[in-house]
Amino acid sequence: MLLDPLRIPEDAWSHGEVLAVLAARDIGGLFRWITSITGASQSRIGAAVGLEQGYVSRIMAGRKVTSIDVLERIADGCRMPDQARTTMGLAPRQAAPPATAPSRRVPDAPPMQRTWCDDVSSAAELWRGDVNRRDVLRQVAFSSAGYTLPALRWFTAPDPAPVTQPGRSAVGQPAIDTIRAMTATYRQLDNQYGGGHARDTVARYLHQEVTPLLTDGRYDHATGQRLLSAAAELAQLAGWQAYDTAEHGIAQRYLTLALNFAHAAGDDGLGAEILAAMSHQATYLGHTATGLDLARAAGQTARRAGVPVLTAEAHVMEAHALAKANDERACAAALHQAEQALDRADRSSDPQWLSYFDEAYLSAKFGHCFHALGRNTHAERFAARSLRMDNRYVRGRAFNLALLASVHAQQGEPDRACAVGAEALTLTAQLRSARAVRYLRDLQAQLAPHRRLPAVRHFTGRVDATLGRRR
């Protein structure tokens, strides 16, 4: 359920002063009005609408907001009633019930008016803005509540309208195969060099090549679903790259749109993978309750898709969130379920994007869970086992080495931690990955009590020389 930290009375939206502000799309005036009736700070407003506090400050000082996507985010965060939304020029949220009961809808589910065409328009705007490096995108903050509605839509929205369009140019299977081939290439680069290496290139490809197919192409329903599925897969990768480079608000928008595309495409397998990625990001950022909910949503979707490997992935995401929440018993149960699901899996029919999930990846997740729980002996065993991995996953190896080094540091073995950490540093120097850097910085902090030791002084000096001194 979306939280309403601003607590704006619904009848307040009918006041003449606020209607005038909304009609002029004066968002700065809107925020000042909210402050006057609720006492909310800029930080509190930003948390509610998913914008950085600094950007809220600039808006209140007179900066204009023209992006429909950002206006929608503000309307949702403020819980605007339909009268207020339409005054601002946005579509109302309420919709008439469908004539026939949709297969995915549940009783009393909230109305879901958004269509796949709306999602295509939002995606085109996001990709264009990302390519042009629009400042507004970089001011959108990650919000755990921002994943609640997309996940709810995934389960409760009616089956989408037919994905068909009478565009100017016919879209055939070769165009879709090209998107998938490019996605596979970009994914390989991401694994080898980190998310920052090709993130801008992926955004340009989405904007320049995929947008015209979606908006101007001519396709029937079957082709349209395959096209949206291919676009969802690439958008999910773009979101993963943004996550890896610590652009978390942008990553959230990419992953949300990817999930919406997967819904319109009827692709439950890809939907489960995207929900798992959302869980991964939420848990990494410390939003463990959201990470847990998303992992369980991924598991339910994976079971519906009938893909045991995805079920195993969902269980390890669930376990990681539980470990971060220090629930050891529930974490152990989830890890056991992950092992059982992977044992049942027939990997011969896995989609290409799922090939990374193997015994080494599973061992790494086990290691992270036991490390979070302070079970160092178990964590060391699984972290060491995770290094029996495919060498093409350079970033993954850097992560796993950093994990093992961190376990050694937690065990009070600084010399071993520095030796393994040096291997992780060598790989991280080849990457453009904020996560890889963070893991090494965390290791530095763990080793701080041993700073007088020669090995620690040498390692810390190498880290600062390679990554720059911490500020």
Side-chain angles (χ1 to χ4, degrees):
M1 180 176 179
L2 283 173
L3 299 176
D4 181 15
L6 298 177
R7 303 190 184 281
I8 303 170
E10 186 165 349
D11 59 0
W13 292 102
S14 61
H15 294 176
E17 59 178 305
V18 71
L19 290 175
V21 164
L22 293 172
R25 283 191 177 173
D26 178 6
I27 304 304
L30 172 65
F31 287 168
R32 289 191 293 274
W33 172 76
I34 290 172
T35 298
S36 71
I37 68 167
T38 67
S41 65
Q42 293 177 358
S43 296
R44 192 176 175 198
I45 293 173
V49 302
L51 297 174
E52 297 283 358
Q53 179 273 327
Y55 192 52
V56 171
S57 176
R58 289 194 288 278
I59 292 172
M60 294 178 76
R63 189 182 184 101
K64 298 296 183 184
V65 177
T66 59
S67 167
I68 295 298
D69 194 57
V70 175
L71 291 171
E72 287 276 6
R73 179 184 285 253
I74 291 168
D76 287 344
C78 294
R79 303 294 292 275
M80 284 187 193
D82 282 349
Q83 178 191 9
R85 292 180 61 88
T86 55
T87 300
M88 198 161 66
L90 302 177
R93 283 299 181 202
Q94 301 298 326
T100 57
S103 60
R104 288 200 191 188
R105 196 156 176 94
V106 298
D108 301 321
M112 302 292 178
Q113 185 184 10
R114 193 173 182 89
T115 68
W116 69 268
C117 294
D118 296 326
D119 293 325
V120 167
S121 297
S122 294
E125 181 180 1
L126 171 62
W127 301 338
R128 180 175 63 252
D130 199 10
V131 167
N132 295 330
R133 304 193 66 79
R134 287 175 54 194
D135 182 58
V136 65
L137 283 180
R138 274 126 192 100
Q139 302 300 333
V140 173
F142 175 88
S143 163
S144 59
Y147 274 153
T148 305
L149 187 56
L152 184 63
R153 283 197 188 109
W154 174 258
F155 287 108
T156 63
D159 286 342
V163 184
T164 180
Q165 182 168 266
R168 292 177 295 180
S169 303
V171 177
Q173 190 60 40
I176 297 170
D177 290 342
T178 299
I179 296 174
R180 294 198 183 281
M182 293 299 292
T183 302
T185 299
Y186 291 137
R187 182 174 289 109
Q188 180 182 352
L189 293 172
D190 176 65
N191 288 323
Q192 190 168 359
Y193 299 108
H197 179 76
R199 200 186 92 66
D200 290 344
T201 304
V202 171
R204 280 195 299 273
Y205 185 82
L206 285 164
H207 171 55
Q208 295 173 356
E209 303 295 336
V210 178
T211 293
L213 295 174
L214 291 169
T215 59
D216 300 328
R218 182 171 68 253
Y219 39 85
D220 59 18
H221 178 60
T223 303
Q225 283 194 308
R226 292 195 298 272
L227 175 60
L228 278 183
S229 180
E233 185 183 339
L234 185 53
Q236 189 264 349
L237 175 61
W240 191 256
Q241 291 174 318
Y243 165 26
D244 194 42
T245 54
E247 297 173 288
H248 291 292
I250 297 175
Q252 184 171 37
R253 293 180 67 184
Y254 269 103
L255 292 175
T256 297
L257 282 166
L259 186 67
N260 291 342
F261 277 11
H263 174 261
D267 193 335
D268 281 341
L270 186 56
E273 174 74 0
I274 296 166
L275 286 164
M278 291 173 163
S279 171
H280 198 300
Q281 183 191 23
T283 298
Y284 175 84
L285 292 174
H287 301 276
T288 53
T290 299
L292 183 59
D293 287 344
L294 290 166
R296 288 171 174 166
Q300 184 174 340
T301 305
R303 288 187 289 274
R304 186 168 69 193
V307 184
V309 180
L310 285 171
T311 303
E313 179 186 27
H315 281 311
V316 295
M317 296 304 167
E318 179 182 357
H320 199 188
L322 290 164
K324 290 287 189 178
N326 204 34
D327 190 339
E328 185 170 351
R329 178 176 296 182
C331 174
L335 290 175
H336 179 63
Q337 289 174 308
E339 283 187 308
Q340 289 183 316
L342 192 59
D343 286 343
R344 293 194 304 269
D346 174 10
R347 305 304 304 269
S348 62
S349 58
D350 283 353
Q352 191 275 336
W353 45 258
L354 197 50
S355 60
Y356 72 90
F357 194 92
D358 55 15
E359 292 288 348
Y361 185 91
L362 189 66
S363 294
K365 297 303 289 185
F366 272 56
H368 278 289
C369 289
F370 287 122
H371 183 44
L373 292 167
R375 295 287 188 169
N376 294 322
T377 302
H378 293 320
E380 180 183 5
R381 183 170 74 252
F382 283 104
R385 189 181 299 174
S386 75
L387 295 172
R388 305 170 194 164
M389 60 184 299
D390 189 329
N391 288 329
R392 292 175 298 176
Y393 296 97
V394 177
R395 181 181 55 199
R397 178 170 288 276
F399 290 169
N400 296 350
L401 285 165
L403 169 63
L404 181 58
S406 183
V407 172
H408 287 320
Q410 193 163 304
Q411 288 174 316
E413 301 175 321
D415 288 343
R416 294 181 72 189
C418 290
V420 177
E423 293 183 61
L425 178 61
T426 298
L427 295 182
T428 300
Q430 307 169 26
L431 299 169
R432 295 179 63 183
S433 168
R435 285 189 296 154
V437 170
R438 172 181 162 175
Y439 292 142
L440 282 173
R441 293 301 194 188
D442 289 347
L443 177 60
Q444 261 189 314
Q446 283 184 285
L447 291 170
H450 308 283
R451 66 176 69 86
R452 296 178 183 274
L453 295 177
V456 174
R457 282 203 310 272
H458 179 68
F459 174 69
T460 299
R462 279 195 60 195
V463 171
D464 287 339
T466 304
L467 306 179
R469 286 191 175 276
R470 301 190 80 160
R471 298 179 180 178

